[in-house]
Amino acid sequence: MNIGFIGLGNMGAPMAKNLAAAGHAVSGFDITGATVPGVASAAGAQDAATGRDAVITMLPDGAILASVYAEIIPAAAAGTLMIDCSTVDVASARAAAAKAEAAGLRFLDAPVSGGTTGAEAGSLTFMTGGTEEAFDAARPLFDVMGQKAVLCGPAGSGQAAKICNNMILGISMIGVCESFALAEKLGLSAEALFDVVSTSSGSCWSVNSYCPVPGVGPKSPADNGYRPGFAAALMLKDLRLSQQAAADADAATPMGALAAKLYETFTGSDLQGRDFSAMLPWLRGQGHG
Ligand code: NAD
């Protein structure tokens, strides 16, 4: 396919590179002028969207997505497949879909999980919203950039799935860190707690696959001085998006609200820039209060 790729940052650059390596003709644009080996440099966002079969965006937030779409929608040919892989609020995804569809384009919101290592390895998971027809047309691209793509429902459903998943993750990571911090103060070793919990009813991804204690469980950012991984600031972004969606939809998410507050305090501390599992050393520094 002839692909335009807009937003060549930590995630977008390796995704575009993998598409080019798989034999697609990729033209990329980033506002910083960033370039990617194997990817032609487009002169601007409009150029990246002109005459393409598909236009992929990987941008920081919904406001930037809206401004880029305002620029590129008039430039894209009818029927162009517009795939937004950024994590944005559900309302922005739905607005982007409405604008694209009104101009005769096909839209999918397709946020990812898997982080920069997944982007580099081509093993991302895509959570998508849109029509089955658009999803089927995009599948060969998802197969290059990822290992799994799920059509979750109409436009906006991919973003909804992403923020609901990450709300579970944020809440569960805090619970896990609280338990390991309490165990420490009770004189219970982290190894013993891991042994029990990882095969008991408290088991979850935050314990079993991403244990926040150095030297315990499979290798995780905790074993690397809490270098991200998944930066706490990105977790805070996603928790804020879920709070915004909950307010819009009048849904009760009291634990999600508290998780957002805790990550807000955490990212204002000297641990900012660390992985989200550094909630554990942050909690160690707090008393019962
Ligand atoms: P990033 O900041 O590294 O990349 C975003 C890129 O967009 C930057 O290079 C920026 O210069 C570019 N950009 C901004 N405005 C632009 C414009 N008007 N025109 C063209 N380019 C523009 O961020 P990232 O880590 O690559 O994340 C991208 C998206 O993926 C975000 O929505 C993020 O929440 C999501 N995400 C990130 C991760 C992760 O681990 N980094 C994981 C899952 C999802």
Side-chain angles (χ1 to χ4, degrees), residues 6-12 29-32 58-60 64 68 86-87 112 115-116 162 230 234 237:
I6 301 172
L8 302 170
N10 293 322
M11 297 290 290
F29 172 70
D30 192 288
I31 203 159
T32 60
M58 194 47 164
L59 298 164
I64 293 175
V68 169
S86 329
T87 302
V112 303
T116 52
K162 166 91 187 173
F230 185 43
L234 286 175
K237 172 189 170 181

PDB file of all heavy atoms in Angstrom, residues 6-12 29-32 58-60 64 68 86-87 112 115-116 162 230 234 237, ligand 1:
ATOM      1  N   ILE A   6       1.844  10.101   9.936  1.00  0.00           N
ATOM      2  CA  ILE A   6       2.033  11.421  10.577  1.00  0.00           C
ATOM      3  C   ILE A   6       2.226  11.249  12.082  1.00  0.00           C
ATOM      4  O   ILE A   6       1.363  10.677  12.767  1.00  0.00           O
ATOM      5  CB  ILE A   6       0.828  12.336  10.273  1.00  0.00           C
ATOM      6  CG1 ILE A   6       0.675  12.501   8.753  1.00  0.00           C
ATOM      7  CG2 ILE A   6       1.002  13.700  10.948  1.00  0.00           C
ATOM      8  CD1 ILE A   6      -0.588  13.224   8.323  1.00  0.00           C
ATOM      9  N   GLY A   7       3.372  11.727  12.589  1.00  0.00           N
ATOM     10  CA  GLY A   7       3.734  11.572  14.002  1.00  0.00           C
ATOM     11  C   GLY A   7       4.780  10.483  14.140  1.00  0.00           C
ATOM     12  O   GLY A   7       4.461   9.320  14.375  1.00  0.00           O
ATOM     13  N   LEU A   8       6.062  10.885  13.976  1.00  0.00           N
ATOM     14  CA  LEU A   8       7.152   9.899  13.989  1.00  0.00           C
ATOM     15  C   LEU A   8       7.916   9.978  15.310  1.00  0.00           C
ATOM     16  O   LEU A   8       9.124  10.203  15.330  1.00  0.00           O
ATOM     17  CB  LEU A   8       8.087  10.150  12.793  1.00  0.00           C
ATOM     18  CG  LEU A   8       7.417  10.085  11.408  1.00  0.00           C
ATOM     19  CD1 LEU A   8       8.359  10.586  10.323  1.00  0.00           C
ATOM     20  CD2 LEU A   8       6.940   8.671  11.093  1.00  0.00           C
ATOM     21  N   GLY A   9       7.183   9.815  16.415  1.00  0.00           N
ATOM     22  CA  GLY A   9       7.810   9.880  17.744  1.00  0.00           C
ATOM     23  C   GLY A   9       8.262   8.506  18.212  1.00  0.00           C
ATOM     24  O   GLY A   9       8.598   7.640  17.397  1.00  0.00           O
ATOM     25  N   ASN A  10       8.248   8.311  19.529  1.00  0.00           N
ATOM     26  CA  ASN A  10       8.741   7.054  20.116  1.00  0.00           C
ATOM     27  C   ASN A  10       8.008   5.837  19.572  1.00  0.00           C
ATOM     28  O   ASN A  10       8.615   4.779  19.379  1.00  0.00           O
ATOM     29  CB  ASN A  10       8.564   7.086  21.643  1.00  0.00           C
ATOM     30  CG  ASN A  10       9.461   8.118  22.275  1.00  0.00           C
ATOM     31  OD1 ASN A  10      10.606   8.295  21.850  1.00  0.00           O
ATOM     32  ND2 ASN A  10       8.952   8.832  23.265  1.00  0.00           N
ATOM     33  N   MET A  11       6.724   5.982  19.337  1.00  0.00           N
ATOM     34  CA  MET A  11       5.916   4.868  18.826  1.00  0.00           C
ATOM     35  C   MET A  11       5.845   4.897  17.299  1.00  0.00           C
ATOM     36  O   MET A  11       6.008   3.875  16.633  1.00  0.00           O
ATOM     37  CB  MET A  11       4.489   4.940  19.397  1.00  0.00           C
ATOM     38  CG  MET A  11       4.403   4.808  20.901  1.00  0.00           C
ATOM     39  SD  MET A  11       4.786   3.152  21.482  1.00  0.00           S
ATOM     40  CE  MET A  11       3.366   2.236  20.915  1.00  0.00           C
ATOM     41  N   GLY A  12       5.544   6.073  16.743  1.00  0.00           N
ATOM     42  CA  GLY A  12       5.301   6.179  15.304  1.00  0.00           C
ATOM     43  C   GLY A  12       6.517   5.804  14.475  1.00  0.00           C
ATOM     44  O   GLY A  12       6.378   5.134  13.431  1.00  0.00           O
ATOM     45  N   PHE A  29       5.694  12.181   8.093  1.00  0.00           N
ATOM     46  CA  PHE A  29       5.883  13.582   8.473  1.00  0.00           C
ATOM     47  C   PHE A  29       5.764  13.722   9.984  1.00  0.00           C
ATOM     48  O   PHE A  29       4.897  13.140  10.612  1.00  0.00           O
ATOM     49  CB  PHE A  29       4.829  14.481   7.809  1.00  0.00           C
ATOM     50  CG  PHE A  29       4.876  15.906   8.324  1.00  0.00           C
ATOM     51  CD1 PHE A  29       5.950  16.734   7.999  1.00  0.00           C
ATOM     52  CD2 PHE A  29       3.889  16.392   9.181  1.00  0.00           C
ATOM     53  CE1 PHE A  29       6.024  18.029   8.507  1.00  0.00           C
ATOM     54  CE2 PHE A  29       3.958  17.684   9.686  1.00  0.00           C
ATOM     55  CZ  PHE A  29       5.027  18.513   9.341  1.00  0.00           C
ATOM     56  N   ASP A  30       6.701  14.512  10.538  1.00  0.00           N
ATOM     57  CA  ASP A  30       6.604  14.894  11.949  1.00  0.00           C
ATOM     58  C   ASP A  30       6.927  16.374  12.027  1.00  0.00           C
ATOM     59  O   ASP A  30       7.814  16.872  11.311  1.00  0.00           O
ATOM     60  CB  ASP A  30       7.592  14.096  12.808  1.00  0.00           C
ATOM     61  CG  ASP A  30       7.306  14.248  14.299  1.00  0.00           C
ATOM     62  OD1 ASP A  30       7.578  15.346  14.863  1.00  0.00           O
ATOM     63  OD2 ASP A  30       6.799  13.286  14.913  1.00  0.00           O
ATOM     64  N   ILE A  31       6.249  17.069  12.910  1.00  0.00           N
ATOM     65  CA  ILE A  31       6.413  18.517  13.024  1.00  0.00           C
ATOM     66  C   ILE A  31       7.842  18.893  13.427  1.00  0.00           C
ATOM     67  O   ILE A  31       8.322  19.997  13.142  1.00  0.00           O
ATOM     68  CB  ILE A  31       5.355  19.083  13.992  1.00  0.00           C
ATOM     69  CG1 ILE A  31       5.097  20.553  13.724  1.00  0.00           C
ATOM     70  CG2 ILE A  31       5.716  18.848  15.444  1.00  0.00           C
ATOM     71  CD1 ILE A  31       3.766  21.022  14.268  1.00  0.00           C
ATOM     72  N   THR A  32       8.561  17.962  14.072  1.00  0.00           N
ATOM     73  CA  THR A  32       9.949  18.228  14.472  1.00  0.00           C
ATOM     74  C   THR A  32      10.934  18.026  13.318  1.00  0.00           C
ATOM     75  O   THR A  32      12.126  18.291  13.473  1.00  0.00           O
ATOM     76  CB  THR A  32      10.403  17.256  15.585  1.00  0.00           C
ATOM     77  OG1 THR A  32      10.306  15.919  15.059  1.00  0.00           O
ATOM     78  CG2 THR A  32       9.571  17.374  16.832  1.00  0.00           C
ATOM     79  N   MET A  58      -0.101   9.058  14.619  1.00  0.00           N
ATOM     80  CA  MET A  58       0.356   8.582  15.936  1.00  0.00           C
ATOM     81  C   MET A  58       0.798   9.819  16.707  1.00  0.00           C
ATOM     82  O   MET A  58       1.985  10.175  16.743  1.00  0.00           O
ATOM     83  CB  MET A  58       1.502   7.574  15.745  1.00  0.00           C
ATOM     84  CG  MET A  58       1.819   6.781  17.007  1.00  0.00           C
ATOM     85  SD  MET A  58       0.335   6.121  17.789  1.00  0.00           S
ATOM     86  CE  MET A  58       0.973   4.902  18.866  1.00  0.00           C
ATOM     87  N   LEU A  59      -0.176  10.518  17.297  1.00  0.00           N
ATOM     88  CA  LEU A  59       0.016  11.872  17.831  1.00  0.00           C
ATOM     89  C   LEU A  59      -0.233  11.919  19.335  1.00  0.00           C
ATOM     90  O   LEU A  59      -0.832  11.009  19.903  1.00  0.00           O
ATOM     91  CB  LEU A  59      -0.950  12.820  17.100  1.00  0.00           C
ATOM     92  CG  LEU A  59      -0.699  12.921  15.581  1.00  0.00           C
ATOM     93  CD1 LEU A  59      -1.894  13.531  14.859  1.00  0.00           C
ATOM     94  CD2 LEU A  59       0.574  13.733  15.312  1.00  0.00           C
ATOM     95  N   PRO A  60       0.191  13.011  19.989  1.00  0.00           N
ATOM     96  CA  PRO A  60       0.103  13.062  21.455  1.00  0.00           C
ATOM     97  C   PRO A  60      -1.315  13.103  22.030  1.00  0.00           C
ATOM     98  O   PRO A  60      -1.570  12.484  23.057  1.00  0.00           O
ATOM     99  CB  PRO A  60       0.855  14.355  21.825  1.00  0.00           C
ATOM    100  CG  PRO A  60       1.745  14.633  20.668  1.00  0.00           C
ATOM    101  CD  PRO A  60       1.009  14.115  19.458  1.00  0.00           C
ATOM    102  N   ILE A  64      -4.455  17.846  19.131  1.00  0.00           N
ATOM    103  CA  ILE A  64      -3.510  17.807  18.003  1.00  0.00           C
ATOM    104  C   ILE A  64      -4.091  16.960  16.872  1.00  0.00           C
ATOM    105  O   ILE A  64      -3.995  17.337  15.688  1.00  0.00           O
ATOM    106  CB  ILE A  64      -2.127  17.286  18.467  1.00  0.00           C
ATOM    107  CG1 ILE A  64      -1.505  18.310  19.427  1.00  0.00           C
ATOM    108  CG2 ILE A  64      -1.203  17.019  17.285  1.00  0.00           C
ATOM    109  CD1 ILE A  64      -0.205  17.886  20.070  1.00  0.00           C
ATOM    110  N   VAL A  68      -4.598  18.299  13.058  1.00  0.00           N
ATOM    111  CA  VAL A  68      -3.995  17.597  11.913  1.00  0.00           C
ATOM    112  C   VAL A  68      -5.096  17.138  10.953  1.00  0.00           C
ATOM    113  O   VAL A  68      -4.971  17.294   9.725  1.00  0.00           O
ATOM    114  CB  VAL A  68      -3.118  16.410  12.391  1.00  0.00           C
ATOM    115  CG1 VAL A  68      -2.718  15.512  11.227  1.00  0.00           C
ATOM    116  CG2 VAL A  68      -1.866  16.925  13.106  1.00  0.00           C
ATOM    117  N   SER A  86      -3.181   6.989  17.796  1.00  0.00           N
ATOM    118  CA  SER A  86      -2.913   7.753  19.016  1.00  0.00           C
ATOM    119  C   SER A  86      -3.878   7.320  20.117  1.00  0.00           C
ATOM    120  O   SER A  86      -4.950   6.802  19.837  1.00  0.00           O
ATOM    121  CB  SER A  86      -3.154   9.253  18.787  1.00  0.00           C
ATOM    122  OG  SER A  86      -2.880   9.648  17.463  1.00  0.00           O
ATOM    123  N   THR A  87      -3.499   7.570  21.369  1.00  0.00           N
ATOM    124  CA  THR A  87      -4.465   7.422  22.463  1.00  0.00           C
ATOM    125  C   THR A  87      -5.077   8.793  22.692  1.00  0.00           C
ATOM    126  O   THR A  87      -4.368   9.733  23.066  1.00  0.00           O
ATOM    127  CB  THR A  87      -3.770   6.955  23.760  1.00  0.00           C
ATOM    128  OG1 THR A  87      -3.111   5.722  23.508  1.00  0.00           O
ATOM    129  CG2 THR A  87      -4.781   6.753  24.882  1.00  0.00           C
ATOM    130  N   VAL A 112      -3.145   1.518  20.687  1.00  0.00           N
ATOM    131  CA  VAL A 112      -2.347   0.300  20.840  1.00  0.00           C
ATOM    132  C   VAL A 112      -1.974   0.060  22.290  1.00  0.00           C
ATOM    133  O   VAL A 112      -1.943   0.980  23.102  1.00  0.00           O
ATOM    134  CB  VAL A 112      -1.035   0.398  20.016  1.00  0.00           C
ATOM    135  CG1 VAL A 112      -1.360   0.657  18.555  1.00  0.00           C
ATOM    136  CG2 VAL A 112      -0.107   1.485  20.553  1.00  0.00           C
ATOM    137  N   GLY A 115       3.573  -0.688  24.099  1.00  0.00           N
ATOM    138  CA  GLY A 115       4.679   0.244  24.351  1.00  0.00           C
ATOM    139  C   GLY A 115       5.711   0.282  23.237  1.00  0.00           C
ATOM    140  O   GLY A 115       5.499  -0.271  22.144  1.00  0.00           O
ATOM    141  N   THR A 116       6.827   0.949  23.523  1.00  0.00           N
ATOM    142  CA  THR A 116       7.840   1.143  22.479  1.00  0.00           C
ATOM    143  C   THR A 116       8.504  -0.181  22.090  1.00  0.00           C
ATOM    144  O   THR A 116       8.863  -0.375  20.933  1.00  0.00           O
ATOM    145  CB  THR A 116       8.916   2.151  22.936  1.00  0.00           C
ATOM    146  OG1 THR A 116       9.396   1.731  24.211  1.00  0.00           O
ATOM    147  CG2 THR A 116       8.352   3.547  23.081  1.00  0.00           C
ATOM    148  N   LYS A 162      -9.321   0.849  25.251  1.00  0.00           N
ATOM    149  CA  LYS A 162      -7.974   1.209  25.729  1.00  0.00           C
ATOM    150  C   LYS A 162      -8.041   1.844  27.135  1.00  0.00           C
ATOM    151  O   LYS A 162      -7.310   1.464  28.045  1.00  0.00           O
ATOM    152  CB  LYS A 162      -7.341   2.183  24.728  1.00  0.00           C
ATOM    153  CG  LYS A 162      -6.118   2.918  25.202  1.00  0.00           C
ATOM    154  CD  LYS A 162      -4.850   2.199  24.891  1.00  0.00           C
ATOM    155  CE  LYS A 162      -3.669   2.904  25.537  1.00  0.00           C
ATOM    156  NZ  LYS A 162      -2.442   2.165  25.417  1.00  0.00           N
ATOM    157  N   PHE A 230       6.536   1.712  30.848  1.00  0.00           N
ATOM    158  CA  PHE A 230       5.337   2.517  30.662  1.00  0.00           C
ATOM    159  C   PHE A 230       5.430   3.643  31.697  1.00  0.00           C
ATOM    160  O   PHE A 230       5.215   3.426  32.896  1.00  0.00           O
ATOM    161  CB  PHE A 230       4.090   1.647  30.852  1.00  0.00           C
ATOM    162  CG  PHE A 230       2.791   2.360  30.554  1.00  0.00           C
ATOM    163  CD1 PHE A 230       2.656   3.192  29.442  1.00  0.00           C
ATOM    164  CD2 PHE A 230       1.695   2.193  31.372  1.00  0.00           C
ATOM    165  CE1 PHE A 230       1.456   3.851  29.167  1.00  0.00           C
ATOM    166  CE2 PHE A 230       0.484   2.833  31.108  1.00  0.00           C
ATOM    167  CZ  PHE A 230       0.375   3.665  30.009  1.00  0.00           C
ATOM    168  N   LEU A 234       2.397   8.646  31.271  1.00  0.00           N
ATOM    169  CA  LEU A 234       1.463   8.097  30.274  1.00  0.00           C
ATOM    170  C   LEU A 234       0.290   7.417  30.973  1.00  0.00           C
ATOM    171  O   LEU A 234      -0.854   7.485  30.507  1.00  0.00           O
ATOM    172  CB  LEU A 234       2.180   7.122  29.340  1.00  0.00           C
ATOM    173  CG  LEU A 234       3.096   7.759  28.299  1.00  0.00           C
ATOM    174  CD1 LEU A 234       3.844   6.694  27.500  1.00  0.00           C
ATOM    175  CD2 LEU A 234       2.302   8.660  27.346  1.00  0.00           C
ATOM    176  N   LYS A 237      -1.970  10.130  31.947  1.00  0.00           N
ATOM    177  CA  LYS A 237      -2.727  10.595  30.772  1.00  0.00           C
ATOM    178  C   LYS A 237      -3.954   9.702  30.560  1.00  0.00           C
ATOM    179  O   LYS A 237      -5.070  10.187  30.380  1.00  0.00           O
ATOM    180  CB  LYS A 237      -1.831  10.570  29.528  1.00  0.00           C
ATOM    181  CG  LYS A 237      -2.592  10.858  28.238  1.00  0.00           C
ATOM    182  CD  LYS A 237      -1.785  10.619  26.975  1.00  0.00           C
ATOM    183  CE  LYS A 237      -2.702  10.695  25.758  1.00  0.00           C
ATOM    184  NZ  LYS A 237      -2.046  10.459  24.486  1.00  0.00           N
TER     185      LYS A 237
HETATM  186  P1  NAD B   1       5.763  11.057  21.143  1.00  0.00           P
HETATM  187  O1  NAD B   1       5.546  12.357  21.817  1.00  0.00           O
HETATM  188  O2  NAD B   1       7.111  10.405  21.182  1.00  0.00           O
HETATM  189  O3  NAD B   1       5.315  11.141  19.590  1.00  0.00           O
HETATM  190  C1  NAD B   1       4.313  11.992  19.100  1.00  0.00           C
HETATM  191  C2  NAD B   1       4.884  12.671  17.874  1.00  0.00           C
HETATM  192  O4  NAD B   1       3.890  13.496  17.254  1.00  0.00           O
HETATM  193  C3  NAD B   1       6.058  13.603  18.208  1.00  0.00           C
HETATM  194  O5  NAD B   1       7.209  13.206  17.478  1.00  0.00           O
HETATM  195  C4  NAD B   1       5.566  14.981  17.806  1.00  0.00           C
HETATM  196  O6  NAD B   1       6.585  15.822  17.299  1.00  0.00           O
HETATM  197  C5  NAD B   1       4.551  14.626  16.735  1.00  0.00           C
HETATM  198  N1  NAD B   1       3.605  15.709  16.481  1.00  0.00           N
HETATM  199  C6  NAD B   1       2.993  16.528  17.363  1.00  0.00           C
HETATM  200  N2  NAD B   1       2.209  17.412  16.733  1.00  0.00           N
HETATM  201  C7  NAD B   1       2.305  17.129  15.416  1.00  0.00           C
HETATM  202  C8  NAD B   1       1.744  17.702  14.252  1.00  0.00           C
HETATM  203  N3  NAD B   1       0.885  18.724  14.330  1.00  0.00           N
HETATM  204  N4  NAD B   1       2.087  17.196  13.050  1.00  0.00           N
HETATM  205  C9  NAD B   1       2.962  16.159  12.960  1.00  0.00           C
HETATM  206  N5  NAD B   1       3.542  15.572  14.036  1.00  0.00           N
HETATM  207  C10 NAD B   1       3.212  16.050  15.248  1.00  0.00           C
HETATM  208  O7  NAD B   1       4.675  10.063  21.772  1.00  0.00           O
HETATM  209  P2  NAD B   1       4.621   8.468  21.627  1.00  0.00           P
HETATM  210  O8  NAD B   1       5.203   7.867  22.849  1.00  0.00           O
HETATM  211  O9  NAD B   1       5.112   8.087  20.277  1.00  0.00           O
HETATM  212  O10 NAD B   1       3.041   8.254  21.738  1.00  0.00           O
HETATM  213  C11 NAD B   1       2.185   8.538  20.649  1.00  0.00           C
HETATM  214  C12 NAD B   1       0.775   8.142  21.052  1.00  0.00           C
HETATM  215  O11 NAD B   1       0.741   6.751  21.402  1.00  0.00           O
HETATM  216  C13 NAD B   1       0.251   8.898  22.268  1.00  0.00           C
HETATM  217  O12 NAD B   1      -1.110   9.184  22.053  1.00  0.00           O
HETATM  218  C14 NAD B   1       0.452   7.924  23.422  1.00  0.00           C
HETATM  219  O13 NAD B   1      -0.458   8.111  24.462  1.00  0.00           O
HETATM  220  C15 NAD B   1       0.222   6.594  22.720  1.00  0.00           C
HETATM  221  N6  NAD B   1       0.893   5.451  23.342  1.00  0.00           N
HETATM  222  C16 NAD B   1       2.189   5.534  23.745  1.00  0.00           C
HETATM  223  C17 NAD B   1       2.805   4.423  24.322  1.00  0.00           C
HETATM  224  C18 NAD B   1       4.238   4.475  24.777  1.00  0.00           C
HETATM  225  O14 NAD B   1       4.677   3.547  25.495  1.00  0.00           O
HETATM  226  N7  NAD B   1       5.028   5.481  24.390  1.00  0.00           N
HETATM  227  C19 NAD B   1       2.082   3.226  24.488  1.00  0.00           C
HETATM  228  C20 NAD B   1       0.771   3.162  24.030  1.00  0.00           C
HETATM  229  C21 NAD B   1       0.188   4.284  23.456  1.00  0.00           C
END
